[in-house]
Amino acid sequence: MRILAIETSCDETGVAVVEDGRRIRANVVASQAAHQATGGIVPEVAAREHLRALDPITQQALSDAGMELRDVDAIAATVGPGLIGALLVGANYARGLALAAGLPFVGVNHLEGHVYANWLYDTETVPPEPELPAVVLVVSGAHSDLVLMEAHRRFRLLGRTIDDAAGEAFDKVARLLGLGFPGGPEIERTAKSGDAAAYPLPKAWLPDRYDFSFSGLKTASLRLVRSLEAKGDLPVADVAASFQKAITEALAEKVARAAAEHGVRTVMLGGGVAANGPLRAEIQRRTSVPLRVPPPRLCTDNGAMIGAAAFFSLRHRTGEIPTLVRSSMPLA
Ligand code: KG4
Ligand code: ZN
């Protein structure tokens, strides 16, 4: 089954063709450069940029896959969670295409997409499917959810952030340090030449719970930056490395504990922050359960993950397939 899948929940326009939920035939992603100037996403600008990009990117994806619309079996799009204007552009474009081509439309939960990115491949050899049950950490610019995936499309929320999302914390601290947007990759790059032990920052521990809290870490980083600036030059690399250490340790500790408590067969990561190398390493170091992480380009928003999730939602009709666009939509 070939699915043409569209992702427009935030600031990447993604269109992909995915076969049987796993094999990537095409995956075109356009990151909106318009937000660099504002250092953050302006929702209306994002919606307009999606509208501009969708037609050429859809043509490109079909051409990369060597297909035409009539070779496709279904059309999928993200219907939430995300920026409502951005979601409406992609979902309505997909519904219009589906109607014109006489194909079924499949609405996809963006967070489910981040989880199913772990099923994708574009290699000659077919990697084995992740084994379930699994503990999954979905960490993006808007979400930090720790979930137990009991079976396909059966998720149980273990914990989530009670304030900022992990990616949001990366973006805000990057901004404090005068680094570019998005901040995650900038912090990771800058931290490589820094000393992670330079400044101990609080991990904002919430004991006996799987919830996270990052606003305290953000405030402590702000205070640290201001006091260092007052003393003279800001050691950007050392602060970036210290911040990255604090946040990755907080995430890794709870992932490892959840994996042990639930006796799972796999630990999976998803979402933009999962692209972070030190986070992967820290989780690997703390658990003996096999770790699956998509390659970095499949951790950040893309159409292929939506195609994968759409396929498994058609195959395992265990839960509702959403069709209405909603800005908030829980995974579990
Ligand atoms: O999943 P995603 O592309 O979009 C959302 O659904 O939000 O995640 C974007 C977030 C941004 O906050 C970005 O700074 C972060 O993921 N990110 C990273 C890295 N690459 C992207 N954070 C840490 N390390 C990275 N290498
Ligand atoms: Zn995302």
Side-chain angles (χ1 to χ4, degrees):
M1 175 178 226
R2 292 155 167 179
I3 299 182
L4 178 78
I6 293 175
E7 155 62 34
T8 64
S9 69
C10 194
D11 63 336
E12 337 271 350
T13 314
V15 183
V17 179
V18 177
E19 207 166 272
D20 297 333
R22 297 202 64 203
R23 181 166 185 162
I24 300 174
R25 289 297 189 179
N27 191 24
V28 185
V29 180
S31 296
Q32 300 180 349
H35 308 295
Q36 291 278 356
T38 41
I41 296 156
V42 178
E44 191 187 321
V45 173
R48 285 174 194 273
E49 292 294 309
H50 286 308
L51 194 55
R52 198 199 309 275
L54 270 170
D55 251 340
I57 289 183
T58 303
Q59 297 295 349
Q60 181 68 47
L62 285 168
S63 135
D64 285 0
M67 289 178 202
E68 292 182 33
L69 203 50
R70 63 165 178 271
D71 302 318
V72 165
D73 303 298
I75 297 182
T78 307
V79 292
L83 303 170
I84 198 74
L87 289 166
L88 280 167
V89 171
N92 281 325
Y93 181 88
R95 290 181 85 147
L97 263 189
L99 192 66
L103 293 171
F105 169 78
V106 190
V108 174
N109 179 319
H110 180 83
L111 300 173
E112 226 171 282
H114 278 307
V115 175
Y116 277 101
N118 284 287
W119 269 258
L120 292 167
Y121 69 91
D122 55 9
T123 45
E124 279 305 311
T125 52
V126 183
E129 291 192 37
E131 289 186 26
L132 301 177
V135 156
V136 194
L137 177 69
V138 180
V139 266
S140 70
H143 298 269
S144 302
D145 288 352
L146 186 60
V147 296
L148 179 64
M149 183 176 186
E150 295 165 321
H152 277 286
R153 302 202 74 224
R154 244 194 19 239
F155 301 101
R156 188 143 68 80
L157 185 70
L158 299 175
R160 66 186 344 166
T161 180
I162 59 164
D163 39 57
D164 292 348
E168 203 178 345
F170 269 98
D171 293 338
K172 286 179 179 164
V173 171
R175 199 170 177 172
L176 269 180
L177 294 173
L179 302 171
F181 177 85
E186 294 286 317
I187 296 232
E188 181 172 4
R189 186 180 51 77
T190 310
K192 285 199 176 105
S193 57
D195 174 10
Y199 306 106
L201 286 163
K203 275 192 274 175
W205 209 233
L206 299 171
D208 309 321
R209 293 160 66 179
Y210 285 122
D211 290 333
F212 305 106
S213 165
F214 301 118
S215 73
L217 172 58
K218 192 185 66 189
T219 310
S221 305
L222 172 68
R223 282 212 197 94
L224 174 65
V225 168
R226 293 289 176 256
S227 80
L228 289 168
E229 276 173 342
K231 281 186 214 150
D233 266 355
L234 179 64
V236 173
D238 287 350
V239 177
S242 302
F243 163 78
Q244 182 173 255
K245 177 178 154 70
I247 196 162
T248 54
E249 283 182 352
L251 290 165
E253 156 75 33
K254 294 207 175 175
V255 170
R257 186 142 54 88
E261 185 188 327
H262 293 280
V264 294
R265 301 172 74 171
T266 312
V267 169
M268 281 188 267
L269 307 187
V273 182
N276 187 273
L279 174 65
R280 299 168 183 223
E282 190 60 28
I283 292 174
Q284 190 85 82
R285 198 173 69 75
R286 289 171 186 252
T287 178
S288 55
V289 176
L291 174 67
R292 294 281 292 248
V293 193
R297 67 180 194 291
L298 297 177
C299 286
T300 47
D301 292 349
N302 64 86
M305 69 185 203
I306 302 305
F311 174 81
F312 287 100
S313 78
L314 290 173
R315 191 208 253 180
H316 302 275
R317 290 181 181 266
T318 42
E320 176 208 3
I321 298 180
T323 49
L324 290 180
V325 171
R326 286 204 193 96
S327 59
S328 101
M329 192 179 282
L331 179 56

